[in-house]
Every structure is written in C-alpha cells, then in structure tokens.
Amino acid sequence: MGGVLTLRLWYYIVGFLHIRVIGDGLEHFTNLSMMRGVVMWDIHRQDDALTAKVGLSSFAGIWPLASRSGCRLRILGKQGLPFLWRNLKKRPVLLASFVIMMLMVVALSRYVWFVDVSGVGPVQRAAILRTVQRAGLEPGVLKRGLDTRTIERYVLLNMPDMVWVAVRVEGLRAVVEVASRQHSWEIDSGLSGDIVAAKHGVITKLLVLAGEALVNEGDTVWSGQVLIQAPASEDGPGQARGEVRARTWYQAYGETPLKQSRLYATGRTYVREVLRWGDHELVWKGREQVPFQEYETYTNQRTLSFWRNIVLPVELITHTYRESEWV
C-alpha cells in the first residue's frame, strides 16, 4: 500500500497522462506494455476500450506498442507538476500570487494568532487570558519558543482557584483548558441543625463560620459524629455553617485466582506517520510491518490551518503502536 502511494506521488511530481486505448488487441497491448516495464495504474476496461494512467516518460514508448497490437491511442488528460508549472509560467501574475500565498502560509503557520480558553465562564476567561499573556502566550507569539509546561505552571501558581491547566497548540490557535475549584457557600437559610461527618476520617481542615466546633484538626471522627454544633437562638436551634475536610479510608473484600494472565506494556513503541489528502494516503514514516505480536494503537490526526475557519485539505495521521506482553 505504502509503495503504491509513493509511486503515485512520484509520478505526480514528474507528470503523468490519462490515456484511452481502443481496439481489438487490448490484451496484446497490455502484455507488451508489461514486458517493456511500462507502469500503468487505475486501469478500467469497457467493451473494446481501456482507460489507464501512465507516466509521462513512458508515453513515447507505448505508441509503437499500440500500433503493433492494432489499437488506437488517445490522450484524455495531462496531470502533474510539469503541466501545472507550464500553465503557471503562462500566467506570471497567477504564479506570483501562488508563490506569495505559499510564503504567507509558511510565515503565518509559525505564529499563534488566536488564544481560546475553555472550561470556565466569561469572567474567569478574561482573567486567565491576562495571566497567560503575562506568561508569554498571546496572539502573534512564535510557536517555536512557546513552552506550554511553563505557562501551565505559571497559571497554577498565580491562580489558586485553578486545579488543572492544559495548554496545547492547534495550527494557528492556542487552546487553554482549565478546571477551577468549586466553592459552594450558598446554604438554604431555612435549614437548621449541626454539621455531622458523612464518613470515618481524620480531620485535615476545619473552618467554622457559625456554631461551635466539637473536634479539632488531626482528630479521628466516625460517621454520624457531630463536627460543628449549631448555635442556640431564642427561636430554637440555629444553623451550623463551616467547612470540614478529612482524609478518609475505605475497606473492601474480594477474591481472585492464584494465577492470572494480563497484558502489560513493555515500553517499546513503533510509530507510523501517514500523509492524507483527499482519498489518497502516503506512508511518510514506518512503512515496515508492526514488529509486535500484541500491541495497542493510538491515533493522532493533525490538520494544517490557514486561518481560523480555513483548513488545508492535508492532514498528518500518526499511529503509535505500544507493545504489550502477557504476564
């Protein structure tokens, strides 16, 4: 598969022709072409006609073969870089525009032009954009010198409410994904009562807003034990308010056979990169057979973006094979 795609890409570079052969000696013509080493592909037979594609350098050699087999040869189309270049040379303005456009694509693809934040609301989004800007991530920055790990650490250190930050670059866009710590101090004022432990644990943090603490940090408490007692009032028991955190433990029981077979990763990997445009694919790296008997496959697809909503019809697909072995 990879060899065929490589061959087709080569013929696109050197040029190829779409031909039609008509006559009663189509089998004779095909056999003569194969004996002479002429490479043809996309061959289709319809009654007494045959269509195929052939390299530009091989076309002169098949004219006498068609004559010997009693067939007529006709060119249906010309494709490849030589013909494209010939057409561009006839139109210097179009050629100059094409060159300028390609240079702009190459130049623009080296920079980050958009910074998006996901996972938070508008207010926090604006604060995160200001923070990452101080860390060096803003529209117009070079992607080559961008250290995403440093930016992630900077956000976590300067925004304590953020518990997780991930920065990645996608084409001309940098995406900042965050998860914020959720605080919920909204309590129904109509409720009353104490704050009790839901599980066994060791108190690690105790903050009393209303009521009296019956435990201290470091104490071991049990499920159902009162932690903060509600304050007394003239109308009866009040409402205890506060925050209590504890380190809990869990116990479970299970049975398992003495011997089991499981797949474990060995650490060895094999990478295959495929370049895809339209219905065509070219194996760019890793044409050999995967050298593992047992493996897991991870696929990553990347596209080249020209602008925010304009994506070039070329994508790079990376298949990573991670070896596993039975233990």
Side-chain angles (χ1 to χ4, degrees):
M1 179 72 177
V4 174
L5 293 174
T6 304
L7 190 62
R8 292 191 180 187
L9 179 61
W10 166 253
Y11 277 112
Y12 182 83
I13 295 174
V14 300
F16 63 93
L17 302 172
H18 190 193
I19 64 173
R20 185 177 184 182
V21 186
I22 305 173
D24 297 330
L26 297 178
E27 290 81 1
H28 189 203
F29 169 76
T30 304
N31 293 333
L32 289 175
S33 301
M34 293 178 61
M35 292 174 60
R36 296 294 179 88
V38 178
V39 178
M40 292 189 296
W41 65 97
D42 290 348
I43 302 173
H44 299 282
R45 172 75 181 272
Q46 292 180 348
D47 299 330
D48 62 341
L50 179 146
T51 59
K53 294 177 181 177
V54 63
L56 181 61
S57 59
S58 303
F59 181 71
I62 64 174
W63 271 107
L65 302 181
S67 179
R68 287 176 55 184
S69 57
C71 298
R72 301 188 307 275
L73 194 62
R74 181 182 176 186
I75 299 176
L76 300 179
K78 303 176 181 180
Q79 299 179 11
L81 292 182
F83 303 106
L84 178 63
W85 176 251
R86 186 181 302 173
N87 293 332
L88 288 177
K89 288 195 340 185
K90 295 178 181 179
R91 302 177 181 179
V93 176
L94 182 61
L95 175 61
S97 302
F98 178 77
V99 173
I100 293 174
M101 184 188 69
M102 294 305 297
L103 292 176
M104 289 180 60
V105 169
V106 174
L108 292 174
S109 63
R110 300 175 59 190
Y111 295 86
V112 172
W113 294 105
F114 306 97
V115 180
D116 294 336
V117 179
S118 63
V120 293
V123 176
Q124 286 183 309
R125 183 180 294 110
I128 292 172
L129 286 175
R130 291 192 297 267
T131 304
V132 297
Q133 184 177 8
R134 292 195 299 268
L137 176 58
E138 59 182 338
V141 67
L142 267 172
K143 292 191 292 186
R144 183 177 181 181
L146 202 61
D147 189 349
T148 57
R149 297 299 183 189
T150 300
I151 297 173
E152 292 169 357
R153 288 194 295 268
Y154 184 87
V155 175
L156 290 173
L157 289 174
N158 290 271
M159 302 188 71
D161 286 342
M162 298 299 129
V163 296
W164 179 78
V165 179
V167 180
R168 68 177 188 275
V169 178
E170 298 177 347
L172 306 181
R173 187 170 63 116
V175 180
V176 182
E177 293 183 350
V178 297
S180 60
R181 182 178 289 108
Q182 300 296 324
H183 296 287
S184 179
W185 298 103
E186 298 296 329
I187 302 176
D188 188 354
S189 59
L191 296 177
S192 62
D194 305 324
I195 294 179
V196 299
K199 299 178 181 179
H200 306 329
V202 177
I203 302 298
T204 59
K205 181 179 179 180
L206 179 63
L207 176 63
V208 179
L209 300 178
E212 180 183 359
L214 302 183
V215 295
N216 299 310
E217 293 184 3
D219 290 352
T220 300
V221 297
W222 304 96
S223 176
Q225 182 176 345
V226 177
L227 305 178
I228 301 177
Q229 189 177 41
S233 64
E234 297 179 356
D235 299 331
Q239 181 186 69
R241 298 178 59 191
E243 179 184 1
V244 183
R245 297 187 183 183
R247 185 173 65 250
T248 62
W249 59 87
Y250 299 86
Q251 294 180 350
Y253 170 80
E255 294 184 357
T256 183
L258 292 177
K259 293 184 178 181
Q260 296 184 31
S261 296
R262 294 185 179 179
L263 275 175
Y264 289 91
T266 64
R268 296 177 59 198
T269 59
Y270 181 79
V271 177
R272 174 174 294 153
E273 295 183 351
V274 179
L275 193 65
R276 176 186 293 171
W277 66 99
D279 296 331
H280 304 285
E281 288 187 349
L282 170 65
V283 179
W284 191 260
K285 177 183 177 183
R287 298 186 178 90
E288 297 79 9
Q289 187 73 18
V290 179
F292 310 136
Q293 293 184 352
E294 300 284 350
Y295 56 84
E296 294 182 348
T297 306
Y298 300 88
T299 302
N300 181 29
Q301 294 181 266
R302 290 171 288 174
T303 57
L304 179 61
S305 301
F306 174 67
W307 202 249
R308 170 170 282 190
N309 297 320
I310 300 178
V311 179
L312 297 180
V314 178
E315 59 180 349
L316 179 63
I317 305 174
T318 303
H319 301 287
T320 303
Y321 304 92
R322 298 181 179 178
E323 184 187 30
S324 302
E325 65 178 6
W326 289 100
V327 176

Coordinates of all heavy atoms in Angstrom, one line a residue, residues 154-218:
Y154 N 2.7 28.5 35.5 CA 2.6 29.9 35.9 C 1.1 30.2 36.3 O 0.8 30.9 37.2 CB 3.0 30.8 34.7 CG 2.9 32.3 35.0 CD1 4.0 32.9 35.6 CD2 1.8 33.0 34.7 CE1 4.0 34.3 35.9 CE2 1.7 34.4 35.0 CZ 2.8 35.0 35.6 OH 2.8 36.3 35.9
V155 N 0.2 29.6 35.5 CA -1.2 29.8 35.8 C -1.6 29.2 37.1 O -2.4 29.8 37.9 CB -2.1 29.2 34.6 CG1 -3.6 29.3 35.0 CG2 -1.8 30.0 33.3
L156 N -1.1 28.0 37.4 CA -1.5 27.3 38.6 C -0.9 28.0 39.8 O -1.6 28.1 40.9 CB -0.9 25.9 38.6 CG -1.6 24.9 37.7 CD1 -0.9 23.5 37.6 CD2 -3.1 24.7 38.1
L157 N 0.3 28.6 39.7 CA 0.9 29.3 40.8 C 0.2 30.7 41.1 O 0.1 31.1 42.2 CB 2.4 29.6 40.5 CG 3.3 28.3 40.6 CD1 4.7 28.7 40.2 CD2 3.3 27.7 42.0
N158 N -0.3 31.3 40.0 CA -0.8 32.7 40.2 C -2.4 32.7 40.2 O -2.9 33.8 40.5 CB -0.4 33.5 39.0 CG 1.1 33.9 39.0 OD1 1.5 34.9 39.6 ND2 1.9 33.0 38.4
M159 N -3.0 31.5 40.0 CA -4.5 31.5 40.1 C -4.8 30.3 41.0 O -5.0 29.2 40.5 CB -5.1 31.4 38.8 CG -4.8 32.5 37.8 SD -5.8 32.5 36.3 CE -7.4 33.0 36.9
P160 N -4.9 30.4 42.3 CA -5.1 29.3 43.2 C -6.4 28.6 43.0 O -6.5 27.4 43.4 CB -5.0 30.0 44.6 CG -4.3 31.3 44.4 CD -4.7 31.7 43.0
D161 N -7.4 29.2 42.4 CA -8.7 28.6 42.2 C -8.6 27.5 41.1 O -9.5 26.7 40.9 CB -9.7 29.6 41.9 CG -10.2 30.4 43.1 OD1 -9.9 29.9 44.2 OD2 -10.7 31.5 43.0
M162 N -7.5 27.6 40.3 CA -7.4 26.6 39.2 C -6.7 25.3 39.7 O -5.6 25.4 40.3 CB -6.6 27.2 38.1 CG -7.2 28.4 37.4 SD -8.8 28.1 36.7 CE -9.7 29.4 37.4
V163 N -7.4 24.2 39.5 CA -6.8 22.9 40.0 C -6.1 22.1 38.8 O -5.4 21.2 39.1 CB -7.9 22.0 40.6 CG1 -8.4 22.7 41.9 CG2 -9.0 21.8 39.6
W164 N -6.4 22.5 37.6 CA -5.8 21.8 36.4 C -5.8 22.7 35.2 O -6.8 23.5 35.0 CB -6.7 20.6 36.1 CG -6.2 19.8 34.9 CD1 -5.2 18.9 34.9 CD2 -6.7 19.8 33.6 NE1 -5.0 18.4 33.6 CE2 -6.0 18.9 32.8 CE3 -7.8 20.5 33.0 CZ2 -6.2 18.7 31.5 CZ3 -8.0 20.3 31.7 CH2 -7.2 19.4 30.9
V165 N -4.6 22.7 34.5 CA -4.5 23.6 33.4 C -3.7 22.8 32.3 O -2.7 22.1 32.6 CB -3.7 24.9 33.7 CG1 -3.5 25.7 32.5 CG2 -4.3 25.7 34.8
A166 N -4.2 22.9 31.1 CA -3.5 22.2 29.9 C -3.5 23.2 28.8 O -4.5 23.8 28.4 CB -4.2 20.9 29.5
V167 N -2.3 23.4 28.2 CA -2.1 24.3 27.1 C -1.6 23.5 25.9 O -0.7 22.7 26.0 CB -1.1 25.4 27.4 CG1 -0.9 26.4 26.2 CG2 -1.6 26.2 28.6
R168 N -2.3 23.6 24.7 CA -1.9 23.0 23.5 C -2.0 23.9 22.3 O -2.9 24.8 22.4 CB -2.7 21.7 23.3 CG -4.1 21.9 23.0 CD -4.8 20.5 22.7 NE -6.2 20.7 22.2 CZ -7.3 20.9 22.9 NH1 -7.1 20.9 24.3 NH2 -8.4 21.1 22.4
V169 N -1.3 23.6 21.3 CA -1.3 24.5 20.1 C -1.9 23.7 19.0 O -1.4 22.5 18.7 CB 0.2 25.0 19.7 CG1 0.1 25.8 18.5 CG2 0.7 25.8 20.9
E170 N -2.9 24.2 18.3 CA -3.5 23.6 17.2 C -3.5 24.5 16.0 O -4.3 25.4 15.9 CB -5.0 23.2 17.5 CG -5.1 22.2 18.7 CD -6.6 21.9 19.0 OE1 -7.4 22.7 18.5 OE2 -6.8 21.0 19.8
G171 N -2.6 24.3 15.1 CA -2.4 25.2 13.9 C -2.1 26.6 14.3 O -1.1 26.8 14.9
L172 N -3.0 27.5 14.0 CA -2.7 28.9 14.4 C -3.4 29.3 15.7 O -3.3 30.5 16.1 CB -3.3 29.8 13.3 CG -2.8 29.6 11.8 CD1 -3.4 30.6 10.9 CD2 -1.3 29.6 11.8
R173 N -3.9 28.3 16.4 CA -4.7 28.6 17.6 C -4.1 27.9 18.8 O -3.6 26.8 18.7 CB -6.1 28.1 17.4 CG -7.1 28.4 18.5 CD -8.5 28.1 18.1 NE -8.6 26.7 17.8 CZ -9.4 25.8 18.5 NH1 -10.2 26.3 19.5 NH2 -9.5 24.6 18.3
A174 N -4.0 28.6 19.9 CA -3.6 28.0 21.2 C -4.8 27.8 22.1 O -5.6 28.8 22.3 CB -2.6 28.9 21.9
V175 N -5.0 26.7 22.6 CA -6.2 26.3 23.5 C -5.7 26.2 24.9 O -4.8 25.4 25.2 CB -6.9 25.1 23.0 CG1 -8.1 24.8 23.8 CG2 -7.3 25.3 21.5
V176 N -6.4 26.9 25.8 CA -6.1 26.7 27.3 C -7.3 26.1 27.9 O -8.4 26.7 28.0 CB -5.8 28.1 27.9 CG1 -5.4 28.0 29.4 CG2 -4.7 28.8 27.1
E177 N -7.1 24.9 28.4 CA -8.2 24.1 29.1 C -7.9 24.2 30.6 O -6.8 23.9 31.0 CB -8.3 22.7 28.6 CG -8.7 22.5 27.1 CD -8.8 21.1 26.7 OE1 -8.4 20.2 27.5 OE2 -9.3 20.8 25.6
V178 N -8.9 24.6 31.3 CA -8.8 24.7 32.8 C -9.9 24.1 33.5 O -11.0 23.9 32.9 CB -8.7 26.2 33.2 CG1 -7.4 26.9 32.5 CG2 -9.9 27.0 32.8
A179 N -9.7 23.8 34.7 CA -10.7 23.3 35.7 C -10.5 24.0 37.0 O -9.4 24.0 37.5 CB -10.6 21.8 35.9
S180 N -11.6 24.7 37.4 CA -11.5 25.5 38.6 C -12.1 24.8 39.8 O -12.9 23.9 39.7 CB -12.2 26.8 38.4 OG -13.6 26.6 38.1
R181 N -11.6 25.2 41.0 CA -12.1 24.6 42.3 C -13.4 25.2 42.5 O -13.7 26.4 42.5 CB -11.1 24.9 43.4 CG -11.4 24.3 44.7 CD -10.4 24.7 45.8 NE -9.2 23.9 45.5 CZ -8.0 24.4 45.1 NH1 -8.0 25.7 44.8 NH2 -7.0 23.7 44.9
Q182 N -14.3 24.3 42.9 CA -15.7 24.7 43.1 C -15.9 25.0 44.6 O -15.7 24.1 45.4 CB -16.7 23.6 42.6 CG -16.6 23.3 41.1 CD -16.9 24.5 40.3 OE1 -17.8 25.3 40.6 NE2 -16.2 24.7 39.2
H183 N -16.4 26.2 44.9 CA -16.7 26.5 46.3 C -18.2 26.8 46.4 O -18.8 27.4 45.5 CB -16.0 27.8 46.8 CG -14.6 27.7 46.9 ND1 -13.9 26.9 47.8 CD2 -13.6 28.1 46.0 CE1 -12.6 27.0 47.7 NE2 -12.4 27.7 46.6
S184 N -18.9 26.2 47.3 CA -20.3 26.3 47.4 C -20.7 26.8 48.9 O -20.7 25.9 49.8 CB -21.1 25.0 47.1 OG -22.4 25.2 47.2
W185 N -20.9 28.1 49.0 CA -21.2 28.6 50.3 C -22.7 29.0 50.4 O -23.1 29.5 51.4 CB -20.4 29.9 50.7 CG -18.9 29.6 50.7 CD1 -18.0 29.8 49.8 CD2 -18.2 28.9 51.8 NE1 -16.7 29.4 50.2 CE2 -16.9 28.8 51.4 CE3 -18.6 28.3 53.0 CZ2 -15.9 28.2 52.2 CZ3 -17.7 27.8 53.8 CH2 -16.3 27.7 53.4
E186 N -23.4 28.7 49.3 CA -24.9 29.1 49.3 C -25.6 28.0 50.1 O -25.8 26.8 49.7 CB -25.4 29.2 47.9 CG -24.7 30.2 47.1 CD -25.0 31.6 47.7 OE1 -26.1 31.8 48.2 OE2 -24.1 32.5 47.5
I187 N -26.2 28.3 51.3 CA -26.9 27.4 52.1 C -28.3 27.9 52.3 O -28.5 29.1 52.5 CB -26.2 27.3 53.5 CG1 -24.7 26.8 53.3 CG2 -26.9 26.3 54.4 CD1 -23.9 26.7 54.5
D188 N -29.2 27.0 52.3 CA -30.6 27.4 52.5 C -30.8 28.0 53.9 O -30.6 27.3 54.9 CB -31.5 26.2 52.3 CG -33.0 26.6 52.3 OD1 -33.3 27.7 52.6 OD2 -33.8 25.7 52.0
S189 N -31.2 29.2 54.0 CA -31.4 29.9 55.3 C -32.5 29.3 56.1 O -32.6 29.5 57.3 CB -31.6 31.4 55.1 OG -32.7 31.6 54.3
G190 N -33.4 28.5 55.5 CA -34.5 27.9 56.2 C -34.1 26.6 56.9 O -34.9 26.1 57.7
L191 N -32.9 26.1 56.7 CA -32.5 24.9 57.3 C -31.9 25.2 58.7 O -31.5 26.3 59.0 CB -31.5 24.1 56.5 CG -32.0 23.6 55.1 CD1 -30.8 23.0 54.4 CD2 -33.1 22.6 55.3
S192 N -31.9 24.2 59.6 CA -31.2 24.3 60.9 C -30.6 23.0 61.3 O -31.0 21.9 60.8 CB -32.2 24.7 61.9 OG -33.3 23.8 62.1
G193 N -29.6 23.0 62.2 CA -29.0 21.8 62.6 C -27.5 21.8 62.6 O -26.9 22.8 62.3
D194 N -26.9 20.7 63.0 CA -25.5 20.5 63.2 C -24.9 20.1 61.8 O -25.6 19.6 60.9 CB -25.2 19.6 64.3 CG -25.8 19.9 65.6 OD1 -25.9 21.1 65.8 OD2 -26.2 19.0 66.3
I195 N -23.6 20.2 61.8 CA -22.8 19.6 60.7 C -22.2 18.3 61.2 O -21.5 18.3 62.2 CB -21.7 20.5 60.2 CG1 -22.4 21.7 59.5 CG2 -20.8 19.8 59.2 CD1 -21.3 22.7 59.0
V196 N -22.5 17.2 60.6 CA -22.0 15.9 61.1 C -21.2 15.2 60.0 O -21.2 15.6 58.8 CB -23.2 14.9 61.4 CG1 -24.1 15.6 62.5 CG2 -24.1 14.7 60.2
A197 N -20.4 14.2 60.4 CA -19.5 13.5 59.5 C -20.3 12.5 58.7 O -21.1 11.8 59.2 CB -18.4 12.8 60.2
A198 N -20.0 12.5 57.4 CA -20.7 11.5 56.5 C -19.9 10.2 56.5 O -20.5 9.2 56.2 CB -20.8 12.1 55.1
K199 N -18.6 10.2 56.8 CA -17.8 9.0 56.7 C -16.7 9.1 57.8 O -16.5 10.1 58.5 CB -17.0 8.9 55.4 CG -18.0 8.8 54.2 CD -17.2 8.8 52.9 CE -18.1 8.7 51.7 NZ -17.3 8.6 50.4
H200 N -16.1 7.9 58.1 CA -15.0 7.9 59.0 C -13.8 8.7 58.4 O -13.7 8.7 57.2 CB -14.5 6.5 59.3 CG -15.6 5.6 59.8 ND1 -16.7 6.0 60.5 CD2 -15.8 4.3 59.6 CE1 -17.5 5.0 60.8 NE2 -17.0 3.9 60.2
G201 N -13.0 9.3 59.2 CA -11.8 10.0 58.7 C -11.0 10.8 59.7 O -11.4 10.8 60.9
V202 N -9.9 11.4 59.3 CA -9.1 12.2 60.1 C -9.2 13.6 59.6 O -8.9 13.9 58.5 CB -7.6 11.7 60.1 CG1 -6.7 12.6 60.9 CG2 -7.5 10.2 60.5
I203 N -9.6 14.5 60.5 CA -9.8 15.9 60.2 C -8.5 16.6 59.7 O -7.5 16.5 60.4 CB -10.4 16.7 61.3 CG1 -11.7 16.1 61.8 CG2 -10.6 18.2 60.9 CD1 -12.8 16.1 60.8
T204 N -8.5 17.2 58.5 CA -7.3 17.9 58.0 C -7.5 19.4 57.9 O -6.5 20.1 57.9 CB -6.9 17.3 56.6 OG1 -8.1 17.5 55.7 CG2 -6.6 15.9 56.6
K205 N -8.8 19.8 57.9 CA -9.1 21.3 57.8 C -10.4 21.5 58.5 O -11.4 20.8 58.3 CB -9.1 21.8 56.4 CG -9.4 23.2 56.2 CD -9.4 23.7 54.8 CE -9.7 25.2 54.7 NZ -9.7 25.7 53.3
L206 N -10.4 22.6 59.3 CA -11.7 22.9 60.0 C -11.8 24.4 60.0 O -11.0 25.2 60.4 CB -11.6 22.4 61.5 CG -12.8 22.7 62.3 CD1 -14.0 22.0 61.8 CD2 -12.5 22.3 63.8
L207 N -13.0 24.9 59.4 CA -13.3 26.3 59.3 C -14.7 26.5 59.8 O -15.6 25.9 59.2 CB -13.1 26.8 57.9 CG -13.5 28.2 57.6 CD1 -12.6 29.2 58.4 CD2 -13.5 28.6 56.1
V208 N -14.9 27.2 60.9 CA -16.2 27.4 61.5 C -16.7 28.8 61.1 O -16.0 29.8 61.4 CB -16.2 27.3 63.0 CG1 -17.5 27.5 63.6 CG2 -15.7 25.9 63.4
L209 N -17.9 28.9 60.5 CA -18.5 30.2 60.2 C -19.6 30.5 61.2 O -19.9 31.7 61.4 CB -19.0 30.2 58.7 CG -17.9 29.9 57.7 CD1 -18.6 29.9 56.3 CD2 -16.9 31.0 57.7
A210 N -20.3 29.5 61.6 CA -21.4 29.7 62.6 C -21.5 28.5 63.4 O -21.6 27.4 62.9 CB -22.7 30.1 61.9
G211 N -21.6 28.6 64.8 CA -21.7 27.4 65.6 C -20.4 27.2 66.4 O -19.5 28.0 66.4
E212 N -20.3 26.0 67.1 CA -19.2 25.7 67.9 C -18.6 24.4 67.4 O -19.3 23.4 67.2 CB -19.7 25.5 69.4 CG -18.6 25.1 70.3 CD -19.1 24.9 71.7 OE1 -20.3 25.0 71.9 OE2 -18.2 24.5 72.6
A213 N -17.2 24.4 67.2 CA -16.5 23.2 66.8 C -16.4 22.2 67.9 O -15.9 22.6 69.0 CB -15.2 23.6 66.2
L214 N -16.7 20.9 67.7 CA -16.6 19.9 68.7 C -15.4 19.0 68.5 O -15.2 18.1 69.2 CB -17.9 19.1 68.8 CG -19.2 19.8 69.1 CD1 -20.4 18.8 69.2 CD2 -19.1 20.6 70.4
V215 N -14.7 19.3 67.4 CA -13.5 18.5 67.0 C -12.4 19.5 66.6 O -12.6 20.6 66.4 CB -13.8 17.5 65.9 CG1 -14.8 16.4 66.3 CG2 -14.3 18.2 64.6
N216 N -11.2 18.9 66.6 CA -10.0 19.7 66.2 C -9.3 19.0 65.0 O -9.6 17.9 64.7 CB -9.0 19.9 67.3 CG -9.6 20.6 68.5 OD1 -10.2 21.6 68.4 ND2 -9.5 20.0 69.7
E217 N -8.5 19.8 64.3 CA -7.7 19.2 63.2 C -6.8 18.2 63.7 O -6.2 18.3 64.8 CB -6.9 20.3 62.5 CG -7.8 21.3 61.7 CD -6.9 22.3 60.9 OE1 -5.7 22.2 60.9 OE2 -7.5 23.3 60.3
G218 N -6.8 17.0 63.0 CA -6.0 15.9 63.5 C -6.8 14.8 64.2 O -6.3 13.7 64.5

